Amino acid sequence: MAFSNKLSYHRRLFAGLVLYSVILIACVAIFQYHREKSFKAEELNQRLQMYNDRLLDEIAESNESSGRFGVIPHSFEDLRVSVLDTCGNVISDNSLDTLPGSNHLNRKEIADAMKRGEGFCLRRHSKSTGNTYFYSAKKRGEYIVRTAVPYTVSLHQLLSADYGFLWFLVGVTFVMCVIGYFVIGRLGAHIRRLKRFAERAERGERITDADPFPHDELGDISNNIVRLYARLQHTAAERDREHRAALREGKEKERIKRQLTNNINHELKTPVASMNVCLETLMTHKNMSSEKREEFIARCYRANERLRRLLADISAITRLEDGGESIVAEKLDLACVVADVCEEFAAESDVKGVKIRNQISGSYPMEGNRDLLASIFRNLISNSLAYSGCSEISIAVKNASDHCIELSVADNGCGIEEVHLTRIFERFYRIDKGRSRQAGGTGLGLSIVKNAVAWHGGGIKAQNCPEGGVEFIFCVTRMKQL
């Protein structure tokens, strides 16, 4: 058992096949050997039985029982002929001068002749002559005729089986073993590859079906197993990847929510504290002059307006980041939306000496949300008016197709340092915090712009212009996927 465990499976299978073939061929050879030898003995017996019949016919014709008969021609050399009575006594023998006195009923050929009428014995030594004979006996009436052929080398060869058939069987066995070796070797290659596959699968290695098995029934089964495992492994990897991504996304959302809460809390403190100081001052100084009172009321109103804008912006960005399911898309003309926003800032731009150049002409029908589209242009124009120190703001369509519209909002102001360009769309991110608060900014305008553009299926980027100022380039899809 220990030795068999050291052999590989296909070698044990080949050894089993060889053993099976050898046993099968050996059984066939032994059976055929005895069958052929028996057939030749039967054939010799039939030839002797024919001679026995002729002798019995002569006995019946001559009516002799004295013990000597005429010699009938035959083809056997040194043929011994004996005549016995039914009691087993030899009454004639052509090879003996003195008849034996022993009873022959116990001789195999005589016993068979007494039972079935004839019989033979393949090989037996005669005590009377000292020779070995092939005996054949036949009974008819009161007599038994027995003929015997000396068992010489020539007779032995005659009765022997044909060894050519045995050598043929040995050759067939050898050919079967050679064919079995190659067939089982191919099977062994399948098994070894499946074993390596199972070991790699157990170790959790990455497995693909890039190295296919040979194209046969076992190979097809093996290929299907490998492909099924590869798909299962790919599915499990995708599931784990999506799970990790979901965990990261969940953690990121939690982080953003905490950051947003902290930022909101920080941003709310300023206007609330300002209003609180103004109101406390008004309440404690009731005899304050009307000019001072108006000043504190105006400061309280500005703080309240900033608080209102902050809450409105927080509400807008929360709706956008939650997916915007409650935001409705409608058919509109983008050119009309831009024209309306430019009209809103006409008075303020005139006061600040800034020219707003709306270069969008014609009609640009699309599906989207009017308020969100207006907030994009409103926030970009408002930022330029408040922080850039520009003298001109231009709005243009850079490219338009049936699928999307690419737009540009640029100014010729001071521009933005490169270090800030990648972060200006973050919530509450300010380049100059003090200046932004003084201008009444909430720090959420560009974040609203980014999310509003994303809701319309596009993206936005900012870049400094070579001649000065900053340019915002973004695109919106013309057909909102609802």
Side-chain angles (χ1 to χ4, degrees), residues 159-175:
L159 295 177
S160 297
D162 183 8
Y163 287 100
F165 178 73
L166 297 179
W167 284 114
F168 172 75
L169 290 178
V170 171
V172 170
T173 304
F174 176 76
V175 172

Side-chain angles (χ1 to χ4, degrees), residues 54-65 69 83 143-145:
R54 294 173 66 184
L55 286 174
L56 286 170
D57 290 341
E58 184 182 349
I59 291 173
E61 290 176 0
S62 63
N63 250 347
E64 284 192 279
S65 58
F69 304 97
V83 180
Y143 298 101
I144 301 173
V145 174

Side-chain angles (χ1 to χ4, degrees), residues 29-46:
I30 293 171
F31 172 77
Q32 181 64 22
Y33 175 82
H34 288 286
R35 184 174 178 272
E36 187 175 356
K37 191 172 183 180
S38 176
F39 173 77
K40 290 184 176 182
E42 287 283 354
E43 185 180 18
L44 178 59
N45 177 56
Q46 292 301 320

Side-chain angles (χ1 to χ4, degrees), residues 168-362:
F168 172 75
L169 290 178
V170 171
V172 170
T173 304
F174 176 76
V175 172
M176 289 175 58
C177 291
V178 171
I179 295 174
Y181 175 79
F182 288 105
V183 172
I184 293 176
R186 184 182 178 90
L187 176 64
H190 282 306
I191 294 173
R192 287 193 299 272
R193 290 185 59 189
L194 280 174
K195 180 182 178 182
R196 291 195 296 270
F197 160 73
E199 290 172 349
R200 293 178 61 196
E202 185 178 9
R203 293 193 296 268
E205 295 181 11
R206 181 71 175 175
I207 296 176
T208 63
D209 53 355
D211 187 16
F213 286 81
H215 185 64
D216 53 29
E217 288 82 356
L218 182 58
D220 292 341
I221 293 173
S222 302
N223 284 326
N224 289 335
I225 291 174
V226 173
R227 282 194 295 269
L228 181 63
Y229 181 82
R231 292 194 193 105
L232 181 63
Q233 194 177 49
H234 177 72
T235 302
E238 285 294 317
R239 179 203 61 197
D240 294 341
R241 185 186 62 79
E242 291 177 359
H243 180 66
R244 290 192 296 269
L247 288 177
R248 286 195 300 270
E249 184 179 357
K251 291 180 179 179
E252 182 64 15
K253 284 184 177 181
E254 288 296 324
R255 184 190 68 80
I256 291 173
K257 285 183 179 180
R258 287 195 298 271
Q259 184 181 16
L260 179 61
T261 302
N262 293 334
N263 289 337
I264 291 172
N265 181 53
H266 177 74
E267 292 296 327
L268 289 175
K269 285 180 179 178
T270 301
V272 170
S274 178
M275 287 189 294
N276 189 53
V277 168
C278 292
L279 292 173
E280 284 184 356
T281 303
L282 290 172
M283 290 177 65
T284 56
H285 299 81
K286 295 181 180 180
N287 297 325
M288 186 183 303
S289 65
S290 59
E291 291 82 3
K292 284 287 186 183
R293 184 180 299 273
E294 290 296 331
E295 180 184 348
F296 279 104
I297 292 175
R299 288 173 57 186
C300 187
Y301 176 78
R302 288 194 298 271
N304 182 70
E305 278 298 300
R306 181 161 179 258
L307 181 60
R308 182 188 61 80
R309 287 194 301 271
L310 181 62
L311 293 176
D313 287 347
I314 291 172
S315 176
I317 201 168
T318 301
R319 281 199 306 158
L320 287 169
E321 291 190 345
D322 285 344
E325 290 85 357
S326 60
I327 301 174
V328 180
E330 58 182 333
K331 292 182 179 180
L332 52 86
D333 187 351
L334 180 62
C336 295
V337 174
V338 175
D340 292 342
V341 173
C342 291
E343 184 65 26
E344 290 180 21
F345 286 93
E348 182 179 353
S349 62
D350 287 342
V351 171
K352 294 186 176 182
V354 178
K355 183 178 181 180
I356 300 177
R357 297 176 58 197
N358 182 8
Q359 299 176 0
I360 299 177
S361 60

